[in-house]
Amino acid sequence: MEDAVPEMPVAEEEPAPEPEPGSEPVPAPEDDPAAPAPLNVPRTPTGNADVDAALDRLGDADHLATDGHVEVYEDVHRGLRDALTALDARPGPPVPPSQHGPRS
């Protein structure tokens, strides 16, 4: 004769609590249309490391709320301005000597 194994009672799941009247459910972040979302704007490398780094920084705004964009944009603007200033500060190629003799 085999020993009978008693059946374990199955716990019933309690239903989720009903939301209070007048309260709206909070959407999940991926369902929230106001949540930050990448713009997926392509950025083509320029060949200038400073400019490319500044443009890559724009991708940081993709994950921020709109009020955080200003800081990123100002940082990128500063980086681009510095890159342009650096171009002006570099000495240019040497000027070739004049082929015409001195004028009197």
Side-chain angles (χ1 to χ4, degrees):
M1 183 170 196
E2 294 181 27
D3 291 329
V5 177
E7 289 187 33
M8 297 291 291
V10 177
E12 292 183 28
E13 290 185 28
E14 293 183 23
E18 292 290 322
E20 294 181 20
S23 69
E24 294 186 25
V26 176
E30 62 272 358
D31 295 336
D32 184 4
L39 295 176
N40 296 322
V41 175
R43 289 180 288 279
T44 305
T46 65
N48 182 302
D50 294 332
V51 172
D52 291 340
L55 295 177
D56 285 343
R57 172 90 166 95
L58 288 174
D60 294 344
D62 287 348
H63 309 288
L64 298 173
T66 306
D67 59 351
H69 290 190
V70 173
E71 181 181 342
V72 173
Y73 295 156
E74 287 176 348
D75 187 41
V76 170
H77 183 257
R78 190 176 315 108
L80 293 173
R81 189 177 55 233
D82 291 348
L84 285 172
T85 301
L87 290 174
D88 288 340
R90 291 184 193 151
V95 178
S98 174
Q99 294 183 6
H100 304 293
R103 293 186 170 179
S104 36

